[in-house]
Every structure is written in C-alpha cells, then in structure tokens.
Amino acid sequence: MAESNLVQIVEGALLAADKPLSVAQLAGLFDEQERPDNSTIREALAEATARCEDRGFELQEVARGFRYQVRQSLSPWVSRLWQERPQKYSRALLETLALIAYKQPVTRGEIEEIRGVAVSSNIIKTLHEREWIRVVGHRDVPGRPAMYATTSQFLDYFNLKNLDQMPALAEIRDLETLTAELGFSEPQEEGAPDQASDSEDAAESLDLAVVGGTEHPSDESTTDN
Amino acid sequence: MAESNLVQIVEGALLAADKPLSVAQLAGLFDEQERPDNSTIREALAEATARCEDRGFELQEVARGFRYQVRQSLSPWVSRLWQERPQKYSRALLETLALIAYKQPVTRGEIEEIRGVAVSSNIIKTLHEREWIRVVGHRDVPGRPAMYATTSQFLDYFNLKNLDQMPALAEIRDLETLTAELGFSEPQEEGAPDQASDSEDAAESLDLAVVGGTEHPSDESTTDN
Amino acid sequence: MSAKESNPTTDVAAEPEAAVTAPPEAAGISAPDQAAGPAVTHPQQGEMPFAVVMGQAVTELPKDLYIPPRALEVFLEAFEGPLDLLLYLIRRQNLDILDIDVSEITAQYMRYVELMDAVQFELAGEYLLMAAMLAEIKSRMLLPRSTENDDSEEDPRAQLIRRLQEYERFKKAAEDIEAMPREERDIWVGNAKPPDLNRSRPEPDVDLRELLLALGEVMRRADKYEAHLIEREALSTRERMSDVLSALSGQQFVPFVSLFDVKEGRLGVVVTFLAIMELIKESLVEIVQTENYGPIHVKARTE
C-alpha cells in the first residue's frame, strides 16, 4: 500500500514539476524519517515507467532526471496544439553549438579559428539565454577568455542523458599519409594509378561527402568523446 | 486499434498542453477526413479518465475543458517542489538584531541613532515573528517608544545559555585585530595541521577565525543549523 | 544559361551530381538560406561541371559572371565564411576534399571575392585572409619542389585540407544537431496542474558570526558613538535589565526584594542589583520607599 503510494507520489511530482527530477530530488520530497532509499525510488520509477505502456506518454530519463514526455509517434497530432512553427536556429548558431558540445571546454577564439569567421555576440547570448551553454572557466592566456561548455538543460532539450548520446563526430581522414602522398605534386600530372583507377570510389565518397554527411555511414565516424 | 490510438492522442495532447483542452480543440488535432466526432472523443476522454485509477494524477473537467491534475492528496509531498529556499536576512536586520542584543533594552529611535538610518517596521515585525525580540517596556519620553530586548528563543537559536556568552563589544569593535589574533591561535584549537604560516593562509582563515572569534562556549552555535 | 541547357546533354554522369552540388541552402537549415534559393540558381548553374574526367571536374565558367548585387548578397550570406564557401566550390566541382586543385579553386574563390568587392559587399576580413592564403599556396606549388628533407615545414595545402576537414565535420555536426529530436518541435514534456500547495516558507538561517560581523560593521560606521557604545557593563547586566523591565511591565509596584532570586547565588544577586541601578540611571524605573526602613518598591517609569 505504501509502495503504491510511493509510485503515486513519484508520478504526481514528475507531472507537477516544471523540470526533470532526479532520484535525489524525489527523495527530498519526503520527511527524513519516512524517506525511501534510492533503490526504492528507482523501483517506483520503474513501476511508473511500466504503467505507461500503451499510453500516450512515457517516462523518460534525461540529463537532469526523469520526466514524462508525449510519445514521439503522436507528434503529428500533438504539434497542432501550437500555432507557431517551431523556432529555427541559424547555421551559425548550430555550428557554434556543435563546436561547444564536441570540443568543450572551448573559447570563442577557438570556435572562430575552426569556423573561419567571427562568432557574433548575439549567438553566445542566445545560447546563454537558452541555458544551453555556460562558462566553466577562463583559459590562462592573455585576455583570459571564457571557456564554454554545454549544460544539462542542453541535453534535456535534445532528449539526451549525456553527451555520449550525441551523434558521433565525423572522422578526419588521415593526414600524415595524405601529406606524404600529396607532396607538392600537381593534381594534373597525377600519374598516381590508384587514384585514377578507382574513380568509381572517388565518385561515391564524393556523394557522401557532399551531402554534408547527412548520410555518412556510421562506420566512417568515430566515437569521439 | 484506431480507438486505442485516439485515446493515446487525447492523453498525449492533454499532457502536453499547458491549458485545459475542450472537445472541439481535441477534434482540431485531426485532419478533417479522419476527424472523430465529438461523442467518439468523449468516449476517449472517458477511457483516459478510467486509466487514471490508482495513479498520481487524474483527468478533470473544468470550465475550459479537460486537463490532467495531480491528486490533491499528494499535496504534502508535491508541495516540497516549491518549497522556497530561505532567503537571507538583510544586513539592516542583522544590525538591528545585534544592537538589540547588545544594547537592550533599547528603543527603535536609539537603534536608528546608532545605525544612522531608519529601521523599517518590517524588520521589527520579522524579528517579532521569529520570536527573537520582545517589548519589555516603554521609555518614558514623548511617544512612549517600545523598548526591545532579546528573548530566550534568541538564545536558544544561537545555542547560548545567556548573553554573556556573546563576545564583548570591545572585541567586536576590533574585529580585524580580533580575527587576526584568533586566526593564529585557531590552528592549535582545531588541530589543523597547517599553521597559518604564510599570509595567504592567514587571509583565508580569516573567515573561520571570526567563527572562532566568539571563543566562547557558543562556538558550537555557529556550526548548527 | 547556356551551360544550364547543355548540362544534361553533355554527360550523363553529370546528372546525379546535379543534386549533389546543390548549395548549402539545400540543407535548409536557416531561414536566409531559403530566401537565397531561387536567387542563387543563376550563378551556380552557370558553373556546374559539365563533365567528370577521371574524377576531375571539367568546368566551363560562364562568360558573364554578373549577378544582381542583391542576389549576390543573399548568395554570400548563405555561406558561413570562407571555409564554407571553399567547401561549396570544391563540392560543386565534384572534387574530393583531399584532392583539391588549388589553382582552380583559388581562381574561383578570387572571382567571388572580386565580385563581393565590386558590389561593395561589406567584405569580411576573413574572406580576404583566405584569399591571401590561397594565393600563397598556389605560388608555392609553382615553385620547384625542393627535396623531401624540408619535412619540418608543413605542406600548406595539407594545412588547408585539414582546416576544411575540421570545419566540415562541425558543419556536419551542426546538421546532426538540427536533425536531433528536440523540445518544442518533436518532443513535448508532459505536465499536469499541481495540487493546491501547502507552502511553508522556511525561516532564513542566521549564523552568529553574521550577527557579529553586522555589529562590527555598524560600529565601524558609527565611530562617533563608540564611547557611548563601549560600556564596561557585562551583557548579562543588560539582559537582566530586560528581565526586570519585563517583570515590572503591567504591574504598579513590585517589591524590590522580589526581583532577586537567591537561588542564583551571590553573582546573580549582584547582576540584578547592577541591572536595577542601570535602569534607574537610564530613568527607566523608579524606586519608591514610603517610609523609613519600610519596604522598597520598584515601578516602571512608563507603565
């Protein structure tokens, strides 16, 4: 009976909260003397999860804890509740976010170096306001630039438990061999038979590369974190 | 099957929405050609309601439509989600309290004279509510102002047996000297392995030194709560 | 325009690439990209490779590179910088990134930079920097190659390729992030109306140290009252003053002796006595004795 009450409290709290709740936060709802231990709470969470079977929602664990989410398969209907189109993010913002996510902690200068252009202050501001990034320190170089990292709110927003769940970063093809092969030889004179011979391959890899990697085969990429 | 899907859509939409949804609004989630009629939607709502049995939430019809709400019986636990962090007391309040402790019985006017600024009624009210001060009489001057003194609750809170356990005023006046002195003697008392040998350490231990600065049995009082 | 016409007929191999060489707008990530769509077709079609020989694109550049200034602006804004533009040029020529023809790319890049300049497009320094770098690489490749003992110096082309690769992987990562399910678009967090809350506001905690610091502060400020403040009497006296006043409140006359508690011992009696003296001195109480050697009564001055 008390067991079932615990599940109800967990269900009610998760639905009432405006953010995901961790096991510790759920435990904090109880007076010390009646506080269930973490494994008991996890059992209650498992029970609550099981109870979502065949329902329009499910219990999901994200970075900050647990929350109820509408099943993604219902998205076509549920999305109609909102008139406005979902917000679009500019490429500049997404590239900056990607660099912070994959290279954190990283300074603005380092981001600019890779992107080849200045990062606008507005982008940094927007990312801060969304609470997707935070300053985790300052690099010990002149100017002591801030180092940025992503937050758990960022992970929550993208439905992730941790950074490992991000798509793997594409691999950089080996440069040492490349440099050796290339030398300064002019591509025109390329007598390199192997390069010419598998033009088929070249065309193929081109396809993939050009599409911008949206179809990069996963075997080409590495788990970079 | 479609039936069950309809219930799921209704559940998902109601859970995602931030306001109650009417039957018409629920119908609006569907394309015209597949739109269920109102009685079908009402059936789905009835089914969704039934599914809440023994759950931490229930489906409720209110003026604007239907919504999920957390069971009222769970309020004692769920309320803790919003338990406000205790804010800090203002400097003005602490000064007032300290002056009452040291200068009791003392009127508001006398406190104001020492502090050089008015003492807000809120501060006096808060201190009363906390039962840290009481009125012990009225001074026989125009306006017959109340004279304040501290209470035994005040002593209890700070874990003091009597006011004598507070440091003498002269000591406090010379807080810097006091802390510096005590800062050096402290390591012995606490058995801290590193003597405050270099100035860096001394500065850091200053904070602690003030704690120890009471030097009275009341030392413990600083560690509780 | 003629290039566009001839394109499908010249080489079948070019067909699939037509899709491939779509500018970044195809990814449709940001709004400006969409706007750029139609305006951009002109220049890009004009330079579409019409043949691929041994993996090498053969491109005939159109005679007129004229783009209406506004369109150019939109076109250029579709790029996230020189690296992005370079990637686009490389891709458009069906070149593998590892196999770029620097002189060809440099020529094309320069043409765009000149165009930007010509229409007074506010040319970002980054674009010029890249132009200078490309020119340098090109010139070095024209020089006779010294033997392989200058390994220490990195091949500038390799350096460029690495930068392009590095940029491209994050460009791709950005697209991946865009494709990830996210709140407000694919994911809806469930919530229900909370029950009526019984909120209790916990009282703030106060540390005795804070209290003393506050007092030290006020005393420092009120330096002129120092003499007044620092009195010799022990705090217990002041505390007892409060107690006596309390005892007197609401009473007419209280017998002097009743204020003492012998159980407190000698010290307690002294403290009480000092407290009453201080109260008299501060005119807070008065002492009344109706007859010689009669009982002494104490009365609060005010109540």
Side-chain angles (χ1 to χ4, degrees), chain C residues 97-116:
Chain C
I97 200 170
L98 299 182
D99 196 25
I100 50 173
D101 176 347
V102 172
S103 57
E104 183 59 33
I105 287 297
T106 305
Q108 291 197 16
Y109 185 89
M110 291 310 224
R111 228 162 268 137
Y112 277 104
V113 167
E114 279 159 22
L115 261 178
M116 293 186 203

Side-chain angles (χ1 to χ4, degrees), chain A residues 178 181-182 187 190-200 202, chain C residues 54 98-99:
Chain A
L178 171 76
E181 274 175 22
L182 278 176
E190 66 180 341
D194 49 336
Q195 275 189 341
S197 66
D198 48 26
S199 61
E200 196 79 32
Chain C
M54 308 292 258
L98 299 182
D99 196 25

